[in-house]
């Protein structure tokens, strides 16, 4: 969500416009246990993956797969403190962390100073317009190279643009040559993906939205 948050505006457009290879939405369990982290002032006022502006004082959170608008209960397993937050961003993409809550939520859960906490995440309510039968996974194919060095350089630029962005570098054989493809982000709709792609375009990093 830093400068990189621009990438997230693109994600709003990207989310609305494409996908890459498998038109399936990842199934997410009703309850998860694992580590939570938080983000605050550094990202305050920046664009989130959903297109909203991040507000450190609102009960929101980032999750890797849950639909935007989903309400979840997050409980700190160390002290049994709990909050209800709304998913409006993607992440965290550090280690095995399962959720990234807002600063105010971290304070309520009392792991603000520690930075991370062991939590339980329970899905309480999915958004009204959520339909798993029509949901897909979309991504942005930002580049195809024969040079691994060039591919890695683009990957680094994308991560510098947004540290929360899921960047995938794959290798394939094409006409007897090894090629390297870079895919950025995982979005729930073509429109969101296209929106995010527009943000990338401002930095010269845009690509093609495809169904994953």
């Amino acid at each position: 969500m830093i400068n990189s948050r621009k990438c997230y505006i693109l994600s709003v457009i990207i989310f609305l416009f494409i996908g890459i290879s498998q038109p399936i939405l990842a199934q997410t369990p009703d309850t998860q246990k694992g580590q939570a982290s938080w983000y605050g002032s550094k990202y305050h006022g920046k664009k989130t993956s959903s297109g909203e502006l991040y507000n450190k004082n609102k009960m929101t959170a980032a999750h890797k797969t849950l639909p935007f608008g989903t309400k979840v209960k997050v409980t700190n397993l160390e002290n049994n403190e709990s909050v209800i937050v709304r998913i409006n961003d993607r992440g965290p993409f550090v280690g095995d962390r399962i959720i990234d809550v807002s600063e105010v939520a971290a304070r309520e859960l009392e792991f603000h100073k520690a930075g991370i906490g062991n939590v339980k995440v329970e899905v309480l309510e999915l958004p009204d317009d959520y339909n798993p039968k029509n949901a897909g996974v979309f991504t942005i194919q930002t580049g195809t190279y024969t040079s691994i060095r060039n591919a890695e350089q683009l990957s680094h630029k994308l991560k510098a643009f947004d540290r929360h962005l899921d960047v995938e570098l794959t290798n394939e054989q094409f006409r007897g040559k090894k090629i390297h493809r870079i895919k950025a982000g995982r979005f729930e709709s073509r429109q969101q993906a296209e929106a995010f792609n527009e943000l990338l375009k401002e930095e010269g990093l845009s690509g093609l939205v495809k169904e994953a």
Side-chain angles (χ1 to χ4, degrees), residues 31-34 73-77 98 118-122:
T31 301
Q32 292 177 286
K33 289 184 179 181
K73 179 180 180 181
V74 183
T75 302
N76 186 339
L77 297 176
I98 61 173
N118 294 315
V119 302
K120 177 172 66 174
V121 176
E122 302 170 88

Side-chain angles (χ1 to χ4, degrees), residues 30-53:
D30 291 337
T31 301
Q32 292 177 286
K33 289 184 179 181
Q35 282 194 329
S37 49
W38 64 274
Y39 53 121
S41 299
K42 185 176 181 179
Y43 305 113
H44 187 70
K46 302 292 186 180
K47 284 279 188 178
T48 65
S49 299
S50 67
E52 289 184 25
L53 295 182

Side-chain angles (χ1 to χ4, degrees), residues 11 21 33 45 49-50 73 82 84 86 98 112 116 138 167 175 181 185 203:
S11 85
S21 36
K33 289 184 179 181
S49 299
S50 67
K73 179 180 180 181
S82 63
I84 295 176
R86 180 174 55 85
I98 61 173
H112 176 265
I116 58 174
F138 297 84
V167 178
R175 294 180 180 177
R181 296 188 191 278
E203 303 297 326

Side-chain angles (χ1 to χ4, degrees), residues 41-150:
S41 299
K42 185 176 181 179
Y43 305 113
H44 187 70
K46 302 292 186 180
K47 284 279 188 178
T48 65
S49 299
S50 67
E52 289 184 25
L53 295 182
Y54 171 66
N55 187 329
K56 66 178 185 179
N57 299 311
K58 289 188 175 181
M59 290 292 187
T60 59
H63 191 277
K64 295 178 182 177
T65 57
L66 286 173
F68 294 135
T70 300
K71 292 182 180 179
V72 300
K73 179 180 180 181
V74 183
T75 302
N76 186 339
L77 297 176
E78 302 298 326
N79 58 19
N80 211 37
E81 293 291 335
S82 63
V83 297
I84 295 176
V85 296
R86 180 174 55 85
I87 304 300
N88 72 341
D89 202 1
R90 285 288 169 250
F93 299 111
V94 178
D96 296 324
R97 297 177 191 176
I98 61 173
I99 196 167
D100 211 0
V101 302
S102 63
E103 182 173 340
V104 66
R107 291 184 184 279
E108 291 290 328
L109 292 168
E110 298 181 356
F111 70 79
H112 176 265
K113 290 184 178 179
I116 58 174
N118 294 315
V119 302
K120 177 172 66 174
V121 176
E122 302 170 88
V123 174
L124 300 180
E125 180 182 323
L126 290 169
D128 293 337
D129 60 354
Y130 177 65
N131 184 347
K133 292 184 179 180
N134 297 326
V137 176
F138 297 84
T139 187
I140 302 170
Q141 184 173 304
T142 55
T144 301
Y145 298 93
T146 55
S147 166
I148 183 62
R149 182 176 181 181
N150 290 341

